[in-house]
Amino acid sequence: DARMGVLYDGDDWGFTSRARLQFNMSGETDGGLTFGASFRVNDEGAQSGARQASTGTRGTVFIAGDFGRLAMGAPAGAAEAAVGDLYEVGLTGLAFYNEVDYLTGDGAGINGAWNPTVLYSYTFGDFSFYASASDGNNAGGRVENPATDEGSQDYSVAVAWASGDFKVGVAYESSEVTTVAGGVATTADTQDQWVLGGEATFGDFGLKAIYVNGARNVAGGVNTYDYEEYGLSGSATFDLVTVTAFARETRQEFPVNTLSNRYYGIGARYDLGGGASLVGGIGHRDVEYGSALNAPDTYGDFGIAFRF
Amino acid sequence: DARMGVLYDGDDWGFTSRARLQFNMSGETDGGLTFGASFRVNDEGAQSGARQASTGTRGTVFIAGDFGRLAMGAPAGAAEAAVGDLYEVGLTGLAFYNEVDYLTGDGAGINGAWNPTVLYSYTFGDFSFYASASDGNNAGGRVENPATDEGSQDYSVAVAWASGDFKVGVAYESSEVTTVAGGVATTADTQDQWVLGGEATFGDFGLKAIYVNGARNVAGGVNTYDYEEYGLSGSATFDLVTVTAFARETRQEFPVNTLSNRYYGIGARYDLGGGASLVGGIGHRDVEYGSALNAPDTYGDFGIAFRF
Amino acid sequence: DARMGVLYDGDDWGFTSRARLQFNMSGETDGGLTFGASFRVNDEGAQSGARQASTGTRGTVFIAGDFGRLAMGAPAGAAEAAVGDLYEVGLTGLAFYNEVDYLTGDGAGINGAWNPTVLYSYTFGDFSFYASASDGNNAGGRVENPATDEGSQDYSVAVAWASGDFKVGVAYESSEVTTVAGGVATTADTQDQWVLGGEATFGDFGLKAIYVNGARNVAGGVNTYDYEEYGLSGSATFDLVTVTAFARETRQEFPVNTLSNRYYGIGARYDLGGGASLVGGIGHRDVEYGSALNAPDTYGDFGIAFRF
């Protein structure tokens, strides 16, 4: 895929463009299992740091059959696979304000980028079941570093139900980050949350809502807090034009004050045919801490997106 | 493409080889616009640093139609698109002594590597018009860094005329580099130049000449200077053999002395068919500063070049 | 290719997966020479450091004809091309305990990773002749660094004889590492070794043995030592299952004591068809220094390997 356009970052305009290519490989065993792997050229790139498809921390590898589907590498976590994000706006994603704050999978959460993830999914009638986990070793688990062996771990389980125009998902995520000093695991931050999502699709109209409720326990108790997150997004297609919008808020209940982040976005896409679209959008964030409102942040972009 | 051979770097011989692969993607909208993107695997590589096709600072993305052609990413600047370089010699380019010192586009100039560039070109009969610019934001314009927001900027405009065996191009380039200290833009170096080029092609013979005249103003006045650059190159093909040569000189008129760089090169290519060629060449640089001649530098190479 | 599974690193289990893709390009000249190049996406990746197919230190480029085959880039050295390694076990290679300690080629040896290598091979009846060398310049020989110009050099020659079920190879390798201080080459470590290998293949059974005898001379004499290495591996295929095992020992005769490393491995592969296999293995290392046995190290893995 590729795109070219302009991006407003809250202060001034700049150019934005990119060109990418994804490889999808697949096969089938004699016993009828399907398998495959996919990654992009830039999953091996300089900016991906030590995360690479060739070391299992980008891209995905999967095998599927009657038993379900097992994916490794950097798949989404179970919660994200079952519930997903609000509808995206803009050419570049506009800081991805539409994305739910998942704890696990795909580089997400305090456990972060370096843990390879496994995702198991199984569909039975209208129900789909998902489970995912990182392996609890740092550095991809290939070589043991005794000083950091007490690795961080996360996991997630989720169920989704889909029937006709409706889809509902509920998920639980848990993440534990172990800090090691002098070869001894001394502290552990834990965070866990419930994620609830629902989506309705009526022909050219779509509506999606999410709700998150969780708590973070920081070792030593400082900054331990409960939090909530809720969001709503809608999409409507009129002939060649699709309009999308979302609103999302996160509330972190610190002992003294509440930190609120409010995100809004609206965008439109005009289909030029042949894989090309004119795409533009605006995204905005307000931050409220206690009674003071500060740090608004606005992004805007416009350009052409290509699929090949 | 690929190549393998030996390289003399002025002191001793070494091996040289490389293997690369370029992806070209293209499509067409329902309205008849063509679009596409191209980049090489190594445009995402470790040695490309933060410049990557996936972030718009390597490779190109384009859309073209009756309005002309618009390219983003790392296209050549307008001046280079209209005039181009002298004929290249050797298997490896031999330090690319044949290349004109363009200010803008494709990682060139004092504005340098990190600015994404946009190039617009339009052809009307025998005339082609080119305009290019960087976006004036550092770091690709994606995320705003307040301390460096007063970004550097360059632009270029050019006209080329081509008819039968002859082609002429004239271009103007301007580059401004802003230095920021303590969040305040304090100094700005500017550089601008005119580029003139002409090429004649008679059957198997080609002749090309370039002339550059410019000035660099360094903030504070130290090292402010005028400069000139002129070059000539020729190419002749006899059956399977092509011989190419060039000479180029740059003269920077510093207050006390003149710094001259003289570049020479000659090379030959023997077509083996099927995309393979035997290629070799010699390149040489003399540096003259004031009355003292110093730092000569000679490169030579020989080997096989492949296209697949 | 791709793989997914679990890996035991001597202390605990982790996930392991990867997805890769290799590009193979080839062509033929009008005179009937064949040529080509091959490299993987991750040969340009962030973890490959400065070694890249685009700069001739990963991947290979070759040309072949009646004169033999000439390959550049990162081919195996002559010794490895003629004799090869013991049979590999496990999904991930399990620290590659089965690999012979070759001095030259493909990033091997004290001359190491940064020297591009050329490998010439010629087959005449049952005999094959191999010769390889690095170019004696550091940094790939492209740009001269006066301080390190007295580069390190290695070379290798080998002969292999193959007839029916039997194959025998003998090779000599020599490596010299020059240390430069203050622009002057002051010290040179040298290392050279003989490698002997034999393999017999009877239907579904294979047996392979190697023997290495060499000496390392460290400038100044400290740590100068002789060494030996011997290894044996076998493979047996029963219908869809292949079982492989190896044992290898290296003995370095230091003035006071002998450092012995003993490596063992066993693994199995079950062919699922269509390019997929269930693969698992165990690898183990014992280190003996003088009379004290220390630092055992055990790896185990199990998972699915895919070829596309």
Side-chain angles (χ1 to χ4, degrees):
Chain A
D1 64 320
R3 65 188 189 203
M4 57 194 292
V6 290
L7 173 70
Y8 176 79
D9 62 0
D11 189 12
D12 48 20
W13 290 86
F15 301 145
T16 178
S17 74
R18 76 174 182 198
R20 304 190 305 182
L21 181 63
Q22 177 160 319
F23 304 113
N24 296 304
M25 298 165 274
S26 63
E28 186 175 340
T29 70
D30 293 347
L33 302 176
T34 57
F35 57 87
S38 70
F39 67 97
R40 291 192 307 262
V41 177
N42 59 311
D43 284 339
E44 297 290 337
Q47 289 200 343
S48 69
R51 290 184 69 202
Q52 299 198 288
S54 56
T55 58
T57 46
R58 282 206 189 250
T60 53
V61 184
F62 74 88
I63 187 163
D66 290 339
F67 68 89
R69 187 181 192 274
L70 193 68
M72 287 184 82
E80 188 171 359
V83 177
D85 295 311
L86 297 177
Y87 301 144
E88 189 177 316
V89 303
L91 179 70
T92 63
L94 294 170
F96 299 102
Y97 287 157
N98 65 302
E99 295 197 348
V100 177
D101 295 337
Y102 289 108
L103 287 184
T104 63
D106 199 10
I110 41 176
N111 253 335
W114 308 111
N115 263 323
T117 294
V118 62
L119 170 66
Y120 168 74
S121 47
Y122 182 77
T123 298
F124 180 81
D126 292 342
F127 288 90
S128 294
F129 172 75
Y130 302 89
S132 70
S134 67
D135 70 355
N137 294 326
N138 292 322
R142 284 219 55 180
V143 178
E144 170 132 326
N145 183 338
T148 58
D149 179 48
E150 292 288 334
S152 306
Q153 171 95 45
D154 61 34
Y155 71 89
S156 173
V157 290
V159 178
W161 172 85
S163 180
D165 299 332
F166 293 92
K167 186 183 173 190
V168 179
V170 57
Y172 175 75
E173 294 186 288
S174 176
S175 175
E176 183 181 278
V177 175
T178 302
T179 307
V180 177
V184 181
T186 50
T187 64
D189 298 356
T190 61
Q191 187 172 356
D192 59 88
Q193 66 185 22
W194 287 88
V195 182
L196 205 67
E199 186 174 8
T201 314
F202 308 107
D204 292 334
F205 295 85
L207 198 66
K208 184 168 186 175
I210 62 98
Y211 174 73
V212 180
N213 192 313
R216 180 167 181 172
N217 297 293
V218 177
V222 184
N223 279 331
T224 293
Y225 58 87
D226 293 340
Y227 60 90
E228 284 186 309
E229 178 180 352
Y230 22 88
L232 186 69
S233 67
S235 170
T237 299
F238 312 98
D239 198 19
L240 297 176
V241 177
T242 300
V243 176
T244 305
F246 69 83
R248 184 170 69 92
E249 180 170 1
T250 64
R251 297 178 59 87
Q252 294 164 293
E253 309 281 352
F254 289 108
V256 179
N257 273 315
T258 298
L259 172 62
S260 291
N261 278 276
R262 292 190 201 94
Y263 305 93
Y264 314 94
I266 185 164
R269 172 179 294 265
Y270 180 87
D271 188 352
L272 297 169
S277 303
L278 282 177
V279 189
I282 297 172
H284 180 73
R285 179 178 67 169
D286 281 330
V287 180
E288 189 182 352
Y289 186 67
S291 58
L293 190 71
N294 53 20
D297 206 348
T298 302
Y299 287 87
D301 62 16
F302 180 75
I304 314 176
F306 305 119
R307 288 187 179 277
F308 304 100
Chain B
D1 64 320
R3 65 190 189 202
M4 56 194 292
V6 290
L7 174 69
Y8 176 79
D9 64 359
D11 189 14
D12 48 19
W13 289 87
F15 301 145
T16 178
S17 73
R18 76 172 180 198
R20 304 191 305 183
L21 181 63
Q22 177 161 318
F23 304 114
N24 296 305
M25 298 165 274
S26 62
E28 187 174 339
T29 70
D30 293 347
L33 302 176
T34 57
F35 57 87
S38 68
F39 67 98
R40 291 193 305 263
V41 177
N42 59 311
D43 283 341
E44 298 289 338
Q47 289 200 343
S48 68
R51 293 185 67 203
Q52 298 198 287
S54 56
T55 59
T57 45
R58 283 209 188 247
T60 54
V61 183
F62 75 88
I63 187 164
D66 290 339
F67 68 90
R69 186 181 194 273
L70 193 69
M72 288 185 82
E80 187 170 359
V83 176
D85 295 310
L86 297 177
Y87 302 144
E88 189 178 315
V89 303
L91 178 71
T92 63
L94 294 169
F96 299 102
Y97 287 156
N98 65 303
E99 296 197 349
V100 176
D101 294 338
Y102 289 107
L103 286 183
T104 63
D106 198 10
I110 42 177
N111 253 334
W114 309 110
N115 264 323
T117 293
V118 61
L119 170 67
Y120 169 75
S121 48
Y122 182 76
T123 298
F124 181 79
D126 292 342
F127 289 89
S128 295
F129 172 75
Y130 303 89
S132 70
S134 67
D135 71 355
N137 294 325
N138 292 322
R142 284 219 54 180
V143 177
E144 171 131 327
N145 182 339
T148 57
D149 180 45
E150 292 288 334
S152 306
Q153 171 95 45
D154 62 35
Y155 70 91
S156 173
V157 291
V159 178
W161 171 85
S163 180
D165 300 331
F166 293 91
K167 186 184 173 188
V168 179
V170 57
Y172 175 75
E173 294 185 288
S174 176
S175 175
E176 183 181 277
V177 175
T178 302
T179 307
V180 177
V184 181
T186 50
T187 65
D189 297 355
T190 62
Q191 187 173 357
D192 59 88
Q193 66 184 23
W194 287 88
V195 182
L196 206 67
E199 186 174 8
T201 316
F202 308 107
D204 292 334
F205 295 84
L207 199 65
K208 184 168 186 177
I210 63 98
Y211 174 74
V212 180
N213 191 314
R216 180 168 182 172
N217 297 294
V218 178
V222 184
N223 279 332
T224 293
Y225 58 88
D226 293 340
Y227 59 92
E228 284 186 309
E229 178 179 353
Y230 22 88
L232 186 69
S233 66
S235 169
T237 299
F238 311 97
D239 196 20
L240 296 176
V241 177
T242 300
V243 176
T244 304
F246 69 84
R248 185 170 68 92
E249 178 170 3
T250 65
R251 296 178 59 88
Q252 292 164 293
E253 309 280 351
F254 289 108
V256 179
N257 272 316
T258 297
L259 172 62
S260 292
N261 278 277
R262 293 190 201 93
Y263 305 92
Y264 315 94
I266 185 164
R269 172 180 294 264
Y270 180 86
D271 188 353
L272 296 169
S277 302
L278 281 176
V279 189
I282 297 172
H284 181 72
R285 178 177 68 168
D286 280 330
V287 179
E288 188 182 352
Y289 185 67
S291 59
L293 190 70
N294 51 23
D297 207 349
T298 302
Y299 287 87
D301 63 15
F302 179 75
I304 314 176
F306 304 119
R307 289 187 177 278
F308 302 102
Chain C
D1 63 319
R3 66 188 188 202
M4 56 194 293
V6 290
L7 174 69
Y8 175 78
D9 63 359
D11 190 14
D12 48 19
W13 290 86
F15 300 146
T16 177
S17 74
R18 76 175 181 196
R20 305 192 305 183
L21 181 63
Q22 176 160 320
F23 304 114
N24 296 304
M25 298 166 273
S26 62
E28 185 174 341
T29 70
D30 293 347
L33 301 177
T34 56
F35 57 87
S38 69
F39 67 97
R40 291 193 305 262
V41 177
N42 59 312
D43 283 341
E44 298 290 338
Q47 290 201 342
S48 70
R51 293 184 67 201
Q52 297 199 290
S54 56
T55 58
T57 45
R58 281 208 190 248
T60 54
V61 184
F62 74 88
I63 187 164
D66 290 341
F67 67 89
R69 187 180 192 273
L70 193 68
M72 287 184 82
E80 188 170 357
V83 176
D85 295 310
L86 298 177
Y87 301 144
E88 190 177 316
V89 303
L91 179 70
T92 63
L94 294 170
F96 299 102
Y97 287 157
N98 65 302
E99 296 197 348
V100 176
D101 295 337
Y102 288 108
L103 287 184
T104 64
D106 198 11
I110 42 176
N111 254 334
W114 309 111
N115 264 322
T117 294
V118 61
L119 169 68
Y120 169 75
S121 48
Y122 182 78
T123 299
F124 180 79
D126 292 341
F127 289 89
S128 294
F129 172 76
Y130 302 90
S132 70
S134 68
D135 71 355
N137 294 327
N138 292 322
R142 286 220 53 181
V143 177
E144 171 131 327
N145 183 339
T148 58
D149 179 46
E150 293 286 335
S152 306
Q153 171 95 48
D154 62 36
Y155 71 89
S156 172
V157 290
V159 178
W161 172 85
S163 181
D165 299 331
F166 292 91
K167 187 184 172 189
V168 179
V170 57
Y172 175 75
E173 294 186 288
S174 176
S175 174
E176 183 180 278
V177 174
T178 302
T179 306
V180 177
V184 181
T186 49
T187 65
D189 297 355
T190 60
Q191 187 173 356
D192 59 88
Q193 66 184 23
W194 287 89
V195 182
L196 205 68
E199 186 174 8
T201 316
F202 307 107
D204 292 334
F205 295 85
L207 198 65
K208 184 168 185 176
I210 63 98
Y211 174 73
V212 181
N213 191 313
R216 181 168 181 171
N217 297 293
V218 177
V222 183
N223 279 333
T224 294
Y225 58 88
D226 293 339
Y227 59 90
E228 284 185 309
E229 177 180 353
Y230 23 88
L232 185 69
S233 66
S235 169
T237 300
F238 311 97
D239 197 18
L240 297 175
V241 177
T242 300
V243 176
T244 304
F246 69 82
R248 185 171 67 92
E249 179 170 1
T250 64
R251 296 179 60 88
Q252 293 164 295
E253 309 281 351
F254 290 108
V256 179
N257 272 316
T258 296
L259 172 61
S260 292
N261 278 277
R262 293 190 200 96
Y263 305 92
Y264 314 94
I266 185 164
R269 172 180 294 266
Y270 179 87
D271 188 353
L272 296 169
S277 303
L278 282 176
V279 189
I282 296 172
H284 181 72
R285 178 177 69 169
D286 282 328
V287 180
E288 189 182 354
Y289 186 67
S291 58
L293 189 71
N294 53 20
D297 206 349
T298 302
Y299 287 87
D301 62 15
F302 179 75
I304 314 175
F306 304 120
R307 290 188 176 276
F308 304 101

